[in-house]
Amino acid sequence: METTKFSPLQFFSLLVLFQLGTALVVNLGMEAGKDAWIAVLSGMIIGMLLYLGYAFLYNTFPDKLPTQYSRILYGKYVGGAIGLAYSVFYMNKASRDLMDGGLLVFASTLKETPLFVINMMMILTIVYVLHKGIEVLARTAFILLWIVFLIGIVILLLVLFSGILDFARILPVLSNGVQPVLKSVYRQNYQFPFAENICFTMLMPFLNNQKAGVRAGLISVLLSGLILSGTVVITISVLGVEIAERSIFPLLTMVGKASIADFIQRTDILVVMVLIIGDFFKISVYFYAAVIGTSDLFHIPYRKVLYPLALIVLFSSLTIARTYSEHVKKGGDVLYMMDPLFYVVLPAALIVAAAIYRFRSRRQTGT
């Protein structure tokens, strides 16, 4: 396990960039139609509750990785199997996000470049940063978060001054009732991107301030949810719900419509920049969680695990699906069928065991 530490502010930066990641540019919450922004906010609230559960595990074992305390709670074999399952799960998520980023860059800017080359350049950059350590990644996140916020402000101003906003497109609110919103929350919005924060349980032991770090994480979930919900409102207000639902990357389509006096055009490159930055950190955190977990389980030095797993992630990203529509469909099926096991079921089992462990420890010490 690494001995480096990072600050709550750097942890906050990592979490915000991770949650924005690919969520900014995809059809987030569109099962709820024009009420997608409500589904995102509802998912955010559930995500905050889940985060508090993950934080409980960290507060119970502040100096241990999940792969370590799962073995304390459930024994060497069952706990080890849980840790291994999470490591494989994180690698799969890293592969899928690598494919997401590669496909967007391919479709928007580098149409003549093989997808393998795009994905390889991304994973090589990630490996280089992670080889330097998690502290370097956290410092980089703090710097790039301000760049993302600046780009976001520029995009917002361009859309406002382009005169393409029509907030009537999101009215009336809940015209189809709450059923579509609840369905969207259940199938997607509480999981993507908020429940994905479970991978940060692998980073929490490196915080230099336990209480402030937990608070910073909770605030990051709130801020990310507000940003994503606001983005959905603006996207639907510009495109309308029908076009937004059919668009592969609705934010990219929306920003592409923004122009001022035929002078400022082709602003969609700003969205690509934000996507590359967010996707970089999302892949990095997932990949780091897989690497540090594998290193702990098999007692192999961290940097010796880094490169073989990077090759697995790279080639897995290219074999996930043959087309983008197939990639999205498989991702939706996994999100609905498999991911709750890792986001809710296993964490709940660990939380119950940790509560019992905590109670017994206090009884034994007489406190």
Side-chain angles (χ1 to χ4, degrees), residues 98-298:
L98 183 60
M99 186 67 162
D100 280 334
L103 285 170
L104 177 61
V105 173
F106 175 80
S108 60
T109 55
L110 301 177
K111 297 181 180 180
E112 302 299 323
T113 305
L115 187 60
F116 172 79
V117 174
I118 298 172
N119 287 5
M120 182 179 66
M121 295 304 296
M122 176 68 87
I123 198 68
L124 284 176
T125 307
I126 290 168
V127 168
Y128 174 77
V129 174
L130 291 182
H131 182 84
K132 300 294 184 181
I134 188 63
E135 187 179 10
V136 174
L137 183 70
R139 288 176 178 176
T140 307
F142 177 71
I143 296 171
L144 291 181
L145 180 64
W146 293 105
I147 296 176
V148 168
F149 282 162
L150 179 61
I151 294 174
I153 292 171
V154 171
I155 291 174
L156 180 60
L157 291 175
L158 285 171
V159 172
L160 288 174
F161 287 110
S162 294
I164 56 177
L165 273 174
D166 182 4
F167 289 111
R169 292 190 174 107
I170 66 170
L171 300 175
V173 176
L174 296 176
S175 58
N176 297 317
V178 297
Q179 190 67 28
V181 174
L182 294 176
K183 182 180 179 181
S184 180
V185 172
Y186 173 67
R187 291 182 61 90
Q188 182 193 60
N189 296 119
Y190 85 91
Q191 299 180 56
F192 176 72
F194 305 110
E196 293 182 323
N197 291 333
I198 190 167
C199 63
F200 279 85
T201 56
M202 299 295 288
L203 276 69
M204 285 177 172
F206 304 116
L207 280 165
N208 61 15
N209 187 318
Q210 182 178 342
K211 291 184 179 179
V214 171
R215 285 197 299 269
L218 193 62
I219 293 171
S220 77
V221 179
L222 175 62
L223 177 62
S224 299
L226 294 175
I227 291 173
L228 291 171
S229 180
T231 302
V232 170
V233 168
I234 294 173
T235 302
I236 295 176
S237 298
V238 171
L239 299 178
V241 69
E242 293 80 11
I243 297 176
E245 285 176 340
R246 293 197 302 267
S247 178
I248 297 176
F249 302 115
L251 182 64
L252 193 66
T253 305
M254 182 267 290
V255 174
K257 290 180 173 293
S259 63
I260 300 177
D262 294 327
F263 175 68
I264 300 177
Q265 297 180 341
R266 291 309 310 251
T267 52
D268 50 339
I269 191 63
L270 296 174
V271 176
V272 177
M273 290 172 62
V274 171
L275 183 277
I276 291 174
I277 293 172
D279 198 46
F280 170 83
F281 284 99
K282 192 157 191 179
I283 299 166
S284 296
V285 173
Y286 267 137
F287 183 54
Y288 178 80
V291 169
I292 201 71
T294 304
S295 173
D296 175 67
L297 286 170
F298 296 100

